[in-house]
Amino acid sequence: MNSKKYVFTALFAALISIGCVIAVPLPGGVPITVQNLFAILAGGILGSFYGGASVLVWMIIGAVGIPVFANAHGGLAIILGPTGGYMWGYALGSLFLGLVLGRPKITENKKDIKFILKIAILALIAYVLVYLPGIPYFMHVMAGKGKPQTFENALKLTFIPFIPGDLIKWLITIPLTATLRPIAARYLEAEEQENRN
C-alpha cells in the first residue's frame, strides 16, 4: 500500500488550502495568492498523478463549502464563478509539470545545471498554463453576468497584475522543486521497496 504517496498528496492539498490565507485583493476580483505556488510545486515534486490529485482534493474540499479558496471562501459557487477557471488552471499546470518531469528520483541532483534549467523552463510554462482556462472562463462568466470583457481588458484585470508575483513564485519554485524531488523520492522508493519485501 503506497500510504506515503497519499500522505504527500494530502500534505500538498493542505498547503494549497492554507495558501488561501495569504491573499492580496485586486480590482479585477482575482486576488494574488500563493495557492498556485503550492499547486505547481505539488506536480513538480510528486509527479503528475499525485500532484494533480492534490489540487483536485483541494477543489473538492472547497466545493463542499470548507473555506480553502482565495480570501478564505468556499462553496461550489466559487468554482462556477469568475475565478473558477484558474482553479482548473492550477490542476493543468500541476499535471503538466509533473508529467514532463516524471516521477521524482533519488538520483536527481539539485546542483545539475541542466536539471535546474529544465525545471525552470517547464515551471514557467506551468505558471502560464494556469491562465489558459482562467482567462477565457473569466470572460465567459462575466459576459453571463451582463459585464462582457474584451480580451484586452481581461488581460489587464486577470493577467498583467499577476506577472510580478508569478515571477517571484516561479523563482521560488525552481530551487524548491530541485531540492525536494530527491527527498520525496527517497521516502516513496523506500516504501515501494518495503512493499516488495
Side-chain angles (χ1 to χ4, degrees):
M1 181 176 171
N2 295 326
S3 60
K4 286 192 173 110
K5 290 181 179 177
Y6 301 130
V7 169
F8 279 126
T9 300
L11 172 63
F12 273 98
L15 287 172
I16 299 167
S17 300
I18 292 167
C20 75
V21 178
I22 306 167
V24 179
L26 292 176
V30 184
I32 294 176
T33 73
V34 295
Q35 291 185 300
N36 61 339
L37 168 65
F38 291 129
I40 301 299
L41 279 173
I45 294 168
L46 302 180
S48 61
F49 182 81
Y50 292 99
S54 67
V55 180
L56 294 178
V57 168
W58 163 72
M59 290 178 68
I60 292 167
I61 290 169
V64 299
I66 298 171
V68 295
F69 296 148
N71 295 318
H73 291 131
L76 189 59
I78 304 296
I79 294 178
L80 299 176
T83 62
Y86 296 94
M87 297 178 190
W88 291 108
Y90 292 177
L92 180 62
S94 183
L95 284 168
F96 167 80
L97 187 58
L99 184 64
V100 183
L101 284 179
R103 287 182 55 178
K105 300 176 184 66
I106 293 175
T107 55
E108 290 170 339
N109 184 355
K110 65 180 181 180
K111 295 180 181 178
D112 181 349
I113 192 66
K114 288 184 180 179
F115 181 52
I116 298 295
L117 286 173
K118 181 179 180 181
I119 291 172
I121 293 167
L122 296 175
L124 184 60
I125 295 170
Y127 275 99
V128 172
L129 285 175
V130 170
Y131 296 92
L132 196 61
I135 294 172
Y137 191 73
F138 173 81
M139 294 174 67
H140 169 73
V141 172
M142 294 305 284
K145 292 176 176 287
K147 300 176 183 177
Q149 305 286 321
T150 64
F151 183 67
E152 181 182 359
N153 197 47
L155 288 178
K156 288 179 182 177
L157 291 173
T158 68
F159 176 65
I160 294 171
F162 300 93
I163 293 174
D166 280 350
L167 286 175
I168 292 169
K169 287 179 270 188
W170 169 65
L171 289 171
I172 294 170
T173 300
I174 300 165
L176 284 179
T177 301
T179 302
L180 295 177
R181 274 179 65 86
I183 295 172
R186 196 173 306 128
Y187 284 100
L188 298 175
E189 289 184 18
E191 182 175 54
E192 288 177 0
Q193 185 64 38
E194 288 172 10
N195 292 336
R196 283 194 292 266
N197 293 337

